[in-house]
Each structure stands twice: as structure tokens, then as C-alpha cells.
Amino acid sequence: MAFNASSSDDSQTKATNMTQPVKEAPIQSRTPELRKDPVTNRWVVFSPARAKRPTDFKSKASGSHNIIECAFCIGHESECAPEIFRVPPKDPNWKLRVIENLYPAVSRSPECQFGQNSFAKHETGDWGLVIPGFGFHDVVIEAPLHSVRLSDLDPKAMGDVILAYKTRIEQTARHDSVKYVQVFKNHGASAGASMTHSHSQMLSLPIVPPSVSVRLDSMKEYFNRTGKCCLCEVRLKDFLINETTNFISIVPFAASFPFEIWIIPRYHASHLHEIDAGKAVEFGGLLKLMLRKIALQLNDPPFNFMFHTSPLMATDSELPYMHWYLQIVPQLTGVGGFELGTGCYINPVFPEDAAQVLRDVSNQVAD
């Protein structure tokens, strides 16, 4: 994998004695700019006039709550939907559990699969296509105690969460009707979380979602033009936050949101579920660091993260340009009519500035 930057040792050690969020950052005179991302194929308007200093971005949402226990807590297993598996297996002192979602968006009923009934696929007049809502909607309970957040886990436990995603993707992939699995986490009520106990979700779908198709078409276009995978060639200069042997964390060149972060394998990898145990622990350590950095610098904001992987039935000819990554989006700004109407986003913080701020937050926050 070729990287267009020098070593990040200085950026990793620059602020090793810092324990507080960055207070100041140089303000450069900038004019508005439009950037197009080669991965998402999305235009982003960077408008620094709409913001103050990059370091002034703080969440206004309160992360506090008074709940001590809930249905996701250890000892309350009977209050949940059926369990799929736990880690360790059959252990009453479990570390994580994967369960069915009590209020699923799709149905796991076999009758909903293609070919199981006469309504497996049909058009509604000339207007649109209707297919049954078959799929799997699962919840990954990341810790047994209510007070423990994902970022509180050590890298090994973080890696176990990643391996739970891997295992569940492999299980649902056995169903021919499942085309794509979306893994995501909503943290905080304004980010869509209905439960405060740390958890993430997985939706196994009978379609490849349109945004996934757009992303893959954009990556294919770059590959056809250059002969290279766009994420293997990602620009690191000015955008790098941290790096490990096998992963990098960056603020993307055309970040749609302030302080958006991507964690990308440095090696070419098309499918999340192909990660091994050692790399899962390494990835978990870097994810922990990124979550701690945004919590410290941005006043513990609500956030979403989404794994962007490849369709399960991707062909050998498609795999060279398909490269998975994790997107983390702190909830700092809203989405309005312009974004909804155009598909473009307005970001008041240039990615280079956001990356600098996050580099300057001490790596010791993950200890």
C-alpha cells in the first residue's frame, strides 16, 4: 500500500504531556472551497466563515443519565430478545452478547425470503419495485455493565466486538437472500440511540443499498482511471491523525462533517469479515483512541459510526477496487434543506485543521 506522506512519529508524540483538550489553533485565512471525494463521489462545501476556531467546536448535548441497570445489563437476559451467541460461549459471566433486535426493521421469517412465496418479487404498476422485507436485525451488547462505554474497553475487548461483527456477518452470509450487512453504532439520543447501554447494531439486507452502489461505482471509476485502489492511495499529508502497523486514522480530504474520522486498513482488504484476531485487537486499540480523542476535544459528543464494506457476493473482478473502512461522525452540526435537497454537505471546518486538532490531543487519553 503506497502512502503519500512521511512518518507520523512527530504528530504522535507532539503532545504526549497533554491531558486537556486543545485550546488554541492557528486560524488561517481561507476562502470557501468545494471538494469532491473519490470514495463517496460526494461534493462538500467548505465554508470557514460559518465557524469560529476549529478548537471551539464542542457538543452541547448532555451525555449524562441516571439509569443504573437495563435489559441489556448482565442478570437481565430474560428481558431481551433471543440470544444468538455470547462471548465467552455459555458463560454466565459474559463479556458481550449478540441478540435479535426486539423491534426489527426487517423480518427473519423464512417465508419472506425470495422464492418462498408468490410475492417474492413483483412490480407495483409502473411506479416502483417491491420485494419482501427479509433480513436480520441484530444487536451487539458490547459490555455487561451499564456504566461501561465502548471506549472504556481495553483493545482486546474492543477486538472481541469487532470479531463478533465478523462472526455474525459470516452467519448471515449463509443465506443467499442476504446481499449486504451494515454494521453501525448510534451513541447518544440525538445520534439515534434508544438505549444508553453501550451497543451497536447489524442489519443484513436483501439488497445492496444505493449509497453503497454509488461508493463502489466511484471507487471503480478511480481504479479504471489509475489502475489503483483509491483507499490504498489515500492522501495522508495534513490529514493523518494516528497510525499503527496495519491501520491509519484520518480526517478525509472531503469530510462531509466536522471532525469526521475514517479508520482504514493499510493493506488492501475488501470485506470487514475477513479481519483476523490480531488485526481486530490492533484496530480496536486505534478505535478506542479515536473515540477518546473526540470525547475529550469535543465535549463527549453524540456520534455515529458505520462500517463501509463490500457486498457479500462481490466478484473477483470487483475486489481489487473495493476497500472497507470505518467512518466516525460526531454529531456537531445539523442537516438542513440544502443537504437534503442537493446531497452536498456544508462543513465549516477544513479537514486539515480538524486533523491538526485531533493530532494535538494526547495519545495518553486512551490509557
Side-chain angles (χ1 to χ4, degrees), residues 222 274 277:
Y222 184 96
E274 293 175 347

Side-chain angles (χ1 to χ4, degrees), residues 152-169:
D152 294 329
L153 301 180
D154 62 31
K156 171 63 168 61
M158 296 277 284
D160 286 341
V161 174
I162 305 302
L163 293 176
Y165 300 153
K166 169 188 173 76
T167 298
R168 187 57 184 148
I169 293 172

Side-chain angles (χ1 to χ4, degrees), residues 5 41 82-84 103 106 117 165 169 176 180 184 211 242 249 256 264 278 344 351:
N41 201 37
E83 179 180 296
I84 300 169
Y103 305 102
V106 290
N117 59 63
Y165 300 153
I169 293 172
D176 291 341
Y180 189 82
F184 64 98
S211 63
N242 287 90
S249 58
S256 298
I264 309 169
C344 301

